[in-house]
Amino acid sequence: MAHKETYEFQPIPSTQELDDNNVPFFHRDKCAAPLIAYYKCLDKGTSFCSVTKEDFYKCQYVALKERLANHTKQTQ
């Protein structure tokens, strides 16, 4: 039996924090916190942001799977 990994979304940052970090409106969702961490890494001018980038994309993937599962339940 395959082990199902659970993912816990971080709390959504405040509107002020989203504004301060120039988070686009279409990214102000469950994955805004990992995106801010990625932005902060990029702002440091380093090219070693793969971990924060992967965190953001994993969050996006899990959120998409969640939306698709909810949509499937609603259409059945």
Side-chain angles (χ1 to χ4, degrees):
M1 187 168 159
H3 172 69
K4 186 175 181 180
E5 184 179 334
T6 58
Y7 182 86
E8 193 169 320
F9 293 100
Q10 297 176 28
I12 298 173
S14 68
T15 302
Q16 184 63 49
E17 190 175 356
L18 294 169
D19 289 343
D20 291 348
N21 289 285
N22 299 315
V23 176
F25 287 108
F26 56 89
H27 281 304
R28 293 182 180 211
D29 58 8
K30 295 177 179 183
C31 298
L35 180 62
I36 289 172
Y38 180 46
Y39 280 173
K40 286 180 179 180
C41 182
L42 292 174
D43 285 347
K44 291 178 185 175
T46 180
S47 60
F48 301 104
C49 297
S50 61
V51 172
T52 54
K53 182 179 180 180
E54 287 174 16
D55 289 345
F56 171 66
Y57 283 117
K58 181 174 183 175
C59 182
Q60 290 284 298
Y61 175 73
V62 172
L64 173 63
K65 283 180 61 173
E66 191 176 86
R67 286 193 305 271
L68 289 172
N70 288 338
H71 176 72
T72 303
K73 287 178 189 175
Q74 291 173 1
T75 57
Q76 288 181 350

